[in-house]
Amino acid sequence: MSQFLNISFFIELGEVDLNCPSNCQIHNTHFFGTDKQIIRRGQAFSFYARFQNREWDDSVDQAIFTVETGILLTCKVFSLFHQPKCINISVFPPSNACIGRYILNMQITSCGHTYQRCLGDFYVLFNPWCADDPVYMDNQAHREEYVLNEHGILYEGVHKHITSRPWHFGQFEDGILDICLKILDMGASYHHGSDRDHCWRNDPVHVSMVVNHMIPENNDYLKGTKPFSWNGSVPILQQWYSGRCRPVRYGYCGSLASVMCTVMRCLGIPSRVVTNFCFPCSIENPLGINEVFDCTGKNLCGKDKLWRYHCWNESWMARRDLNQCCGDWQCLDPTPLETGRGLACSGPTWVRSIREGELDLDYDGHHMFSRVNSNYVGWLSQNNAKKTKFFCDTWPCGQHLITKSVGSEQFEDITGAYKYELGSVKNKEAYYRAYRRIHPGYCNASNCHIERELSSLKNPFLSDSGINMRLKMANCPMYGEDVQLHWVLENLRSENKNLKFNLCAQIITYSGCPMDQFWKDSVNVTLGPREVKKIPLCISYSQYGPYLCDHNIMKVVAVSDPECGEVLMVSRDIVINRPPVIVKVKTFNYGIYDLRM
C-alpha cells in the first residue's frame, strides 16, 4: 500500500511549451519561422514545463536536462522559476558549442521514481551578436547585411564596364537549414576521418573549410542547366538535396561563391561575395600571366588564362589558429582552380595577410596573393614560332575588387583591403616579401635584384616606341546595336610615322577563353610630328550578333605589322549590354504602369 502511495504522488510531466516564437525573436532567428527552436550559441533560451497532478517540490523533485547530437552533450541549466504546476527553465549553450541539430531530453526524479521525456529538437547556430563567439561582429548594420539579408548583387563584366544582376541567397527559406547541415554531414571526412564526436563543428575555420570543399563537389561543368540561368541559391541547394546529394549541373564562380555565402549566412557566419576584375589563372608562373596573339591580333588559346572577373567568398571570424582576438575578413574561394598540383579550392586566407605579403601565415596565401598581384605580359607569336613582346600599356591583375555595399544597391570598392596603392612603398615591400616566399631562390635577394628581375619580364611601354594608343568607346552598345569606337593614336616624336595595323574582334568568355574571331581589318596610318589622330571604328550587330555567347564580352585588338619595326598593341574588352526588361502592370482604375528591370 505504501509503495502505491509513493507512485501516486510522484510528479507527472504534462505539456511542454518550448517558447519558440519568443526565443527565435530574441536570437534573431525568427526569419526561419517560429515553428522550430532555432537558437544561437552563447545566449540563453527558455521554455515551460507544466505538471498534471501537483506543484513542483524541490525537496522531492529533481530535473536533469541533456542534449544530444550524435553523442551526449550537456548544456548549462542556470535557472528554474516556479509557477503553479509549472516551471520556467533557462538553458545556456556555451559560446563554443558545436553547431547543429540537438535533441533535448528531460529526466525527472520524483519520490524515488525516475523517468525521461524527449522534449523535442532544437538547432544551435553561430552567434555574431555574442562577443565571446569568434564570428562576433559589433556593427548591427553589418550584421543585417552579412547575416540577415537574403538578397544580394553579383558584379560581372570587365573592369571598365561593370554590370550587375540580383541574386537571392534565401538562407532562411524553408528547409535550407537542414540542407546546410547535411552539407556538413557529407563533408565531415574532409578534415576528419571520423565525425563521431562532431567536435570540429564548434570552430568556424573548420566549418568554412568543409563548406568550401563541398560546394564545388556539387557542381559539374559538362552538361545541365546553363550557369548564367541561375539567379538564386535555393533551387541549387534543393536540387542537390532532393537528388540524394548528387552533383548539380552546372555552376560558375558567381554561383559557387553565392551558394557558399548562403550556407555560411544560414549557419550564422557573416559572409559576402567579392568580385575581382582581371583575375590571372597561371600554372607555370604564379606571379605572371601570359597572353599570346598572332599577327592578325587573334588571341591564341594558351595555358594561361586571364579571367575578366572572378567571384569568391569572404567570411568574418576571429582566427584562433592565428591568435586573432578580433574578427576580420577571411577569403574563401570555392571554385576549383589549377594550382600546379591539380585542381584545388583556396582558403580560408586572412585578407590582411594578402595585403602584407605574409604568405606563411595562412592556408593558400601564395595562391590568393598571386590572384591580385600577378603581372600581365602580352606576346606576338609569328609563323616561325618566335615570340616577341609587344610594346603595350599593361595593367596589374586584381586592380579592382568590389562587393555590395552595406544597406545599398551600390558596390563598395575593397581593393585597398587586398593591396596597397600601386607603386607605393608599402605595396612594393609587400610584393618583395611575397616574392621571396613564392620563389625560394630569391629568399636572400635584395629588393633591387628582385626589381630588376621583374622589369625584365614586363612589356615595354607604348610610349617607349614613340607612339601612344588607346581604344575609346563612342557608345554603350545594347544587344542589337552596332559597336562604335574611337581609335586614338598620338605621335610622341618630331618625325613622321608610317605604320600598318591589323585589327580584329573576337568573342572572349568571362574565364578568358578565346572564341570565334568574327571581324578583321587592315589599316595604314600616317602620323605627322606630334600629331594626334582619331580613327572611327564600327563593328555592326550583323557581324558580332551570331557569335555572342552568354558572357556578352568581346575583345578588340590592334597590332602593328612586325615588318614595320617595333610591334605595338592596344586592346579593349567590350561588354554588350542586355536590353532592359519592361513589365507593364495594368490596373482597372489607374491605368498602366511601367516596371523597368
Side-chain angles (χ1 to χ4, degrees):
M1 186 69 172
S2 60
Q3 185 179 7
F4 175 79
L5 289 174
N6 284 337
I7 293 176
S8 67
F9 283 108
F10 79 82
I11 195 164
E12 296 179 19
L13 181 62
E15 178 187 353
V16 175
D17 179 5
L18 293 180
N19 199 24
C20 291
S22 177
N23 286 325
C24 289
Q25 188 74 37
I26 294 170
H27 285 253
N28 295 286
T29 59
H30 54 289
F31 304 97
F32 288 103
T34 56
D35 57 332
K36 293 181 180 179
Q37 188 80 291
I38 303 175
I39 58 96
R40 300 189 187 275
R41 64 187 194 174
Q43 188 174 344
F45 68 98
S46 61
F47 59 93
Y48 300 93
R50 294 179 174 84
F51 303 99
Q52 295 180 344
N53 58 336
R54 64 175 175 83
E55 296 183 9
W56 183 269
D57 185 348
D58 286 335
S59 65
V60 294
D61 301 323
Q62 182 183 11
I64 298 175
F65 297 89
T66 58
V67 292
E68 56 184 276
T69 174
I71 65 158
L72 197 65
L73 183 67
T74 303
C75 283
K76 180 180 179 182
V77 180
F78 65 88
S79 59
L80 284 83
F81 296 102
H82 296 221
Q83 298 176 12
K85 291 187 179 182
C86 176
I87 58 173
N88 177 279
I89 303 124
S90 293
V91 179
F92 183 84
S95 59
N96 63 348
C98 294
I99 63 165
R101 178 175 169 268
Y102 290 79
I103 299 172
L104 179 64
N105 299 305
M106 181 178 185
Q107 178 180 295
I108 295 179
T109 300
S110 176
C111 299
H113 180 81
T114 300
Y115 63 97
Q116 183 169 296
R117 169 86 70 86
C118 177
L119 303 183
D121 58 9
F122 67 99
Y123 298 79
V124 176
L125 306 179
F126 291 108
N127 193 352
W129 284 263
C130 173
D132 294 328
D133 197 308
V135 303
Y136 173 65
M137 183 174 264
D138 63 359
N139 187 303
Q140 177 60 17
H142 288 191
R143 290 191 292 250
E144 290 176 358
E145 180 68 48
Y146 302 130
V147 181
L148 303 181
N149 193 358
E150 292 190 88
H151 303 285
I153 296 176
L154 295 187
Y155 296 101
E156 300 169 341
V158 298
H159 72 283
K160 289 186 177 180
H161 186 159
I162 297 172
T163 61
S164 64
R165 63 189 184 98
W167 188 273
H168 180 61
F169 294 117
Q171 66 267 32
F172 301 119
E173 294 279 340
D174 188 42
I176 294 300
L177 177 55
D178 287 317
I179 295 174
C180 293
L181 294 177
K182 182 65 174 179
I183 289 174
L184 297 187
D185 293 339
M186 296 292 291
S189 61
Y190 175 59
H191 286 291
H192 306 268
S194 171
D195 191 36
R196 288 177 298 178
D197 58 3
H198 292 77
C199 62
W200 60 273
R201 298 193 186 201
N202 73 341
D203 184 357
V205 174
H206 287 293
V207 168
S208 66
M209 293 175 78
V210 169
V211 174
N212 201 34
H213 170 73
M214 281 298 296
I215 295 298
E217 279 199 349
N218 305 329
N219 289 270
D220 193 293
Y221 295 85
L222 299 178
K223 58 183 179 179
T225 305
K226 288 185 176 181
F228 290 89
S229 66
W230 301 110
N231 60 9
S233 304
V234 174
I236 299 173
L237 290 168
Q238 288 175 336
Q239 184 175 327
W240 175 78
Y241 191 70
S242 62
R244 298 182 180 180
C245 309
R246 289 191 294 267
V248 176
R249 300 184 171 118
Y250 55 90
Y252 80 113
C253 65
S255 57
L256 292 173
S258 298
V259 170
M260 182 171 188
C261 187
T262 293
V263 175
M264 300 294 271
R265 288 186 183 186
C266 183
L267 299 177
I269 302 176
S271 297
R272 62 188 185 184
V273 177
V274 171
T275 301
N276 172 23
F277 292 93
C278 297
F279 173 84
C281 189
S282 174
I283 299 173
E284 297 178 350
N285 183 2
L287 286 174
I289 181 80
N290 296 283
E291 278 197 321
V292 182
F293 301 80
D294 67 13
C295 61
T296 70
K298 181 180 180 180
N299 191 338
L300 304 177
C301 187
K303 294 181 180 179
D304 293 354
K305 297 290 186 297
L306 181 65
W307 293 32
R308 271 44 192 176
Y309 66 89
H310 179 58
C311 301
W312 60 64
N313 193 81
E314 281 185 359
S315 294
W316 181 273
M317 63 190 76
R319 297 282 299 279
R320 306 305 192 211
D321 57 322
L322 298 182
N323 297 317
Q324 293 178 1
C325 59
C326 299
D328 207 342
W329 290 113
Q330 316 293 329
C331 179
L332 293 140
D333 189 351
T335 302
L337 296 171
E338 182 58 57
T339 63
R341 302 187 305 272
L343 294 175
C345 306
S346 299
T349 308
W350 186 20
V351 171
R352 190 177 301 176
S353 73
I354 299 172
R355 185 180 66 179
E356 301 297 337
E358 296 286 357
L359 309 188
D360 295 338
L361 287 177
D362 220 341
Y363 303 98
D364 307 310
H366 61 293
H367 292 313
M368 294 311 305
F369 184 88
S370 299
R371 291 169 187 177
V372 296
N373 288 284
S374 287
N375 293 302
Y376 173 91
V377 184
W379 298 86
L380 172 68
S381 177
Q382 296 174 269
N383 293 332
N384 58 5
K386 176 185 176 183
K387 289 198 302 184
T388 306
K389 283 182 186 176
F390 289 119
F391 281 77
C392 61
D393 293 335
T394 60
W395 55 89
C397 298
Q399 59 183 300
H400 202 188
L401 293 100
I402 62 175
T403 189
K404 180 184 176 298
S405 295
V406 174
S408 168
E409 299 297 307
Q410 304 301 313
F411 66 75
E412 176 187 357
D413 189 333
I414 59 170
T415 310
Y418 281 84
K419 55 200 299 186
Y420 290 107
E421 184 179 356
L422 188 65
S424 67
V425 173
K426 287 187 175 181
N427 174 256
K428 290 182 178 180
E429 288 176 348
Y431 196 94
Y432 298 147
R433 192 179 298 120
Y435 195 90
R436 293 185 179 97
R437 286 165 171 79
I438 292 173
H439 299 287
Y442 288 83
C443 61
N444 296 317
S446 66
N447 292 347
C448 293
H449 186 183
I450 295 174
E451 190 60 48
R452 284 195 300 270
E453 180 69 17
L454 294 174
S455 298
S456 69
L457 299 175
K458 295 178 181 179
N459 287 93
F461 294 110
L462 270 172
S463 57
D464 295 337
S465 69
I467 296 287
N468 265 341
M469 295 190 297
R470 61 187 183 276
L471 289 167
K472 298 178 64 176
M473 296 303 301
N475 69 337
C476 190
M478 198 76 67
Y479 189 82
E481 297 178 348
D482 296 346
V483 176
Q484 307 284 347
L485 300 101
H486 288 143
W487 179 23
V488 182
L489 302 96
E490 181 183 6
N491 184 358
L492 303 176
R493 303 279 169 81
S494 299
E495 64 269 5
N496 290 336
K497 290 277 188 177
N498 297 301
L499 299 167
K500 179 182 178 181
F501 285 91
N502 295 319
L503 296 94
C504 80
Q506 183 176 11
I507 300 299
I508 299 288
T509 69
Y510 86 97
S511 57
C513 294
M515 307 292 281
D516 298 297
Q517 184 186 44
F518 58 85
W519 175 79
K520 291 193 294 184
D521 198 1
S522 294
V523 178
N524 292 306
V525 178
T526 299
L527 293 172
R530 308 289 179 180
E531 182 183 4
V532 177
K533 184 171 288 187
K534 183 186 293 185
I535 301 174
L537 301 176
C538 178
I539 304 171
S540 68
Y541 171 72
S542 62
Q543 291 173 309
Y544 76 78
Y547 300 94
L548 205 61
C549 55
D550 289 341
H551 317 93
N552 284 8
I553 301 173
M554 70 170 71
K555 186 180 188 71
V556 177
V557 179
V559 176
S560 66
D561 191 321
E563 295 181 1
C564 296
E566 297 159 334
V567 185
L568 317 180
M569 191 268 279
V570 65
S571 66
R572 174 95 187 207
D573 289 339
I574 299 170
V575 176
I576 306 299
N577 291 306
R578 299 180 180 93
V581 177
I582 302 175
V583 180
K584 292 190 174 182
V585 181
K586 183 175 182 179
T587 64
F588 292 102
N589 298 325
Y590 302 103
I592 297 176
Y593 295 88
D594 284 356
L595 300 177
R596 296 178 182 267
M597 304 171 66

